[in-house]
Structure formats: C-alpha cells, structure tokens
Amino acid sequence: MRFKSGTDIGLKRDENQDAVRCEYFGENVLAVVCDGMGGENSGKEASTIAVEEFFQRFSEGYNENLNDEEIRRLLISSVSAANSVIYTRAKLDFNNFGMGTTCVAAFVTDKLAFIVNVGDSRAYLIVENEGVFQITTDHNVASLLYEQGRITKEEFETHPQKHMLVRAVGVEQTVQADTFIIKYENSISLLLCSDGLSGYCTDTEIYDVVTSSGYDNITENLIALALEKGGRDNVTVAVIYE
C-alpha cells in the first residue's frame, strides 16, 4: 500500500485553507483531506484542527484487532471529535464565528477501503480502463436539489449554490457523517480531493491525468490540471494505491 498527497494555494486565494495528512497504521493507510471555511484565518485553523483531531482520535481508538464495524464507528467518532473541538473554538472566540471545514477520509486495508465524509470534498475510485467514479455524496445545496429532482444534472454543474454546504464539520454541535465500505481483491486506487480539483475539472479530465501520469507524479499533475483550469480555489489531493 502506497500513498501520495499534495496541496496548493491556487492562483486566486490569499491563503491555503486546505489541509491533508496521510500515515501508515501497520500495513494500512489513513488519509484525510479537509477544506476549511471562515473569515480571516478561521478556515485554515478549522481544517488544521480537523486533521489533527481526526488522527488523534483514530490513533487512540485503533488496534489491529478491530472488526469492520468497529473501524467504521471509529472513523465516525474521529469526525465527531474534530467537530466538537472546532465548534467549541468558534463559540469561545467571536472572530471564529462560522468556522468549519469539509472532511473526507479513507482507511485502506489489504481487502477493504473505509471512507467517511462531511461536506463536498470527494473520494473517487479509480478504475483502470474505465474511469473515475465518485464514491461520496456532496453535502451542498445543488446536490440536495438534484437528489430531490428539482434540477437536472446539467443545471447542477453550473448551479450558483453548488459550493454552499448543507453539512460541515464544526458548524453545529453535532455532525452527521456518511460512510462507505468498498471490498476489493488484488488492488485498489483511491483519490481524495478538495473541490479546488473536483469543482473545476470533469471526471474525464481527472481520469486522463491519472492514466497519463503514473503514480510517482500523479498528485503534482492533478494540481497542475486545477491550475490550468484557472486555479480559482485551493487544491488538495491524496492518492492511495495498492
């Protein structure tokens, strides 16, 4: 199991409010991508706290004897731990009012990939000779309207509320996270990213870069793709591959 990650401020922002971290847990890999929001430095603070608290909670609760359901619950509790710290921080300092962050994380073993997400940072499954397939559901207004059948797929792509979140870490006292479990046999490739990539690049464009890059320079090339598309947001990627 290997991983690569990278982040870039982009071409339009004054600060990089994304955060990313990947680590081994024995032979397994945990990767987390967060995209902060809030005025001044609050967005960066929120994403940084989320990554740190997520890893701390997961590290405290993890052991190699956990079953699948226990791992899933540990991922959810890791998100909740981050939520509690960020929410409390915002309550104690009015300058941090509205601070919050997305969070997408993957814990990959030799047979399973466990994924948890809140917000619109995404996890993709990369399938050779087929494409990239979004695993997570975006928690934003446009996605909600699309799921309700109130807008079309074409309208969703350009909807003005595509980046308006309906769920985020740290905004409310409690947070609801989605979880996914993917079984695989011989190999797996996952891409986690902030919407600085997925919000401005199509799945086809992402897949074309993935297939033409090779894993040694895949993160750099994905970031370059986002910059070529205008670099209007911070862009962060993490790739896990077996």
Side-chain angles (χ1 to χ4, degrees), residues 90-104:
K91 286 290 186 181
L92 293 175
D93 186 350
F94 73 92
N95 290 318
N96 288 328
F97 176 78
M99 73 186 295
T101 183
T102 69
C103 182
V104 61

Side-chain angles (χ1 to χ4, degrees), residues 115-186:
I115 294 156
V116 62
N117 85 292
V118 178
D120 61 359
S121 292
R122 293 179 177 179
Y124 288 95
L125 180 65
I126 303 169
V127 181
E128 189 175 358
N129 298 321
E130 292 189 31
V132 296
F133 300 91
Q134 184 178 344
I135 300 166
T136 52
T137 299
D138 296 338
H139 301 142
N140 56 39
V141 173
S143 292
L144 185 61
L145 293 174
Y146 176 68
E147 289 173 7
Q148 294 171 344
R150 297 166 62 183
I151 61 174
T152 66
K153 182 65 174 177
E154 291 72 22
E155 290 172 326
F156 164 78
E157 295 299 339
T158 58
H159 198 278
Q161 293 176 308
K162 188 176 180 180
H163 300 287
M164 184 177 293
L165 299 180
V166 295
R167 263 194 254 174
V169 178
V171 176
E172 303 288 345
Q173 191 168 5
T174 60
V175 65
Q176 179 183 352
D178 292 346
T179 57
F180 308 84
I181 301 177
I182 298 173
K183 296 181 180 180
Y184 71 96
E185 293 185 2
N186 299 318

